[in-house]
Amino acid sequence: MYATSSSAPEPSPRPAIGPASRGLWLMGSDVDLARRLARSGFDWLALDAQHGAVDRSALVDLGRALGDVGANFVVRVPGVDHSWIGASLDAGAAGVVIPSVTSLDDARSGVRATFYPPLGERSWGPLTPMWDGYAPDAERANAHVQCAVMIETAGALEAVEEIAALDGVGLLFLGPVDLSLSLGVSVDELLADDSPTGPVPRILAAARRNGSDVAAFAGDPARVPALRALGIDRVAVTTDIALVALGAERVLDLT
């Protein structure tokens, strides 16, 4: 399509959402705030293109802004959408979080969109050379990109063992709010169920059997201990919105 040579150094390969990590969920699209937050100590940022303000234009701006910061960034795409998955990775995301998965076929489609042939069907067209950023070749991209499938529907939970066994699924991502809605229980009830047949233990067991792991969205920092008690140590601890509110509350308490 076009040359991708760049003076940018190859980043050290590490999982987009690694073990014992704390992530921050970005609902907004302000590039200056995103850069500051990326340098504030979080291990990874998740740009929310499903329920946040991240459209395709903002995705490119954020990809350019986050290309040289310490934290990885991933994109929660709007759904099982080949175009969005490819565009997110083209913009420099280290991985994608795929929501609205309701079946094994959905998960399989998401995996195909994440990887270049022969592993998948991703189309070639990295955007990072536009700002002299690093663009891996197809082999390196396939080796290092992380495909995280959200388990947040009754259908995904029913197929979780098969989803976890799919080649290319690097991470199962628990969405406790939507999963609790789908199952007709509260989030607290969902997280309190530590029985072997409970939804979260079932997800964890499926991941372990297939050499994978589980991440989760906490949203509220108060939920982080419950998630860690269940054995989930890759957690999006809060959102940018909540972080601003917590910071404002702290400042007002101090003054």
Side-chain angles (χ1 to χ4, degrees):
M1 180 178 176
Y2 47 77
T4 58
S5 60
S6 167
S7 61
E10 179 177 359
S12 59
R14 57 192 174 98
I17 301 173
S21 63
R22 294 172 295 178
L24 177 66
W25 209 260
L26 293 190
M27 308 293 292
S29 58
D30 184 279
V31 294
D32 296 321
L33 178 60
R35 278 185 65 86
R36 289 184 67 87
L37 292 175
R39 294 179 181 275
S40 66
F42 290 97
D43 299 298
W44 47 276
L45 305 181
L47 314 183
D48 195 340
Q50 184 188 28
H51 295 302
V54 180
D55 59 16
R56 290 287 286 269
S57 177
L59 173 66
V60 174
D61 290 340
L62 287 163
R64 181 185 294 109
L66 297 174
D68 62 349
V69 296
N72 278 327
F73 80 91
V74 301
V75 179
R76 200 253 294 265
V77 295
V80 186
D81 184 316
H82 279 229
S83 177
W84 254 101
I85 291 169
S88 299
L89 299 173
D90 289 345
V96 287
V97 180
I98 304 175
S100 303
V101 170
T102 62
S103 65
L104 177 61
D105 283 345
D106 280 348
R108 188 178 286 117
S109 180
V111 168
R112 287 199 304 266
T114 301
F115 295 95
Y116 291 117
L119 303 180
E121 300 171 349
R122 180 182 169 192
S123 176
W124 178 260
L127 294 172
T128 47
M130 291 173 58
W131 49 87
D132 200 32
Y134 175 73
D137 59 31
E139 184 177 359
R140 285 187 177 88
N142 279 349
H144 299 306
V145 69
Q146 189 176 61
C147 178
V149 174
M150 292 200 77
I151 308 298
E152 58 176 352
T153 68
L157 180 63
E158 183 63 26
V160 68
E161 288 82 12
E162 292 84 1
I163 291 172
L166 275 178
D167 286 342
V169 173
L171 197 64
L172 300 180
F173 203 108
L174 170 65
V177 178
D178 279 338
L179 186 58
S180 65
L181 287 171
S182 185
L183 299 178
V185 299
S186 70
V187 174
D188 290 340
E189 289 171 329
L190 178 75
L191 300 183
D193 186 354
D194 59 0
S195 64
T197 58
V200 179
R202 180 178 175 184
I203 294 167
L204 285 160
R208 282 194 297 269
R209 279 196 296 271
N210 291 281
S212 185
D213 216 314
V214 178
F217 173 80
D220 184 343
R223 289 201 185 108
V224 174
L227 290 166
R228 288 186 174 148
L230 286 164
I232 300 173
D233 69 350
R234 309 175 192 221
V235 182
V237 297
T238 191
T239 68
D240 50 352
I241 297 170
L243 193 65
V244 169
L246 288 168
E249 182 179 326
R250 176 63 174 158
V251 167
L252 292 172
D253 285 345
L254 290 172
T255 56

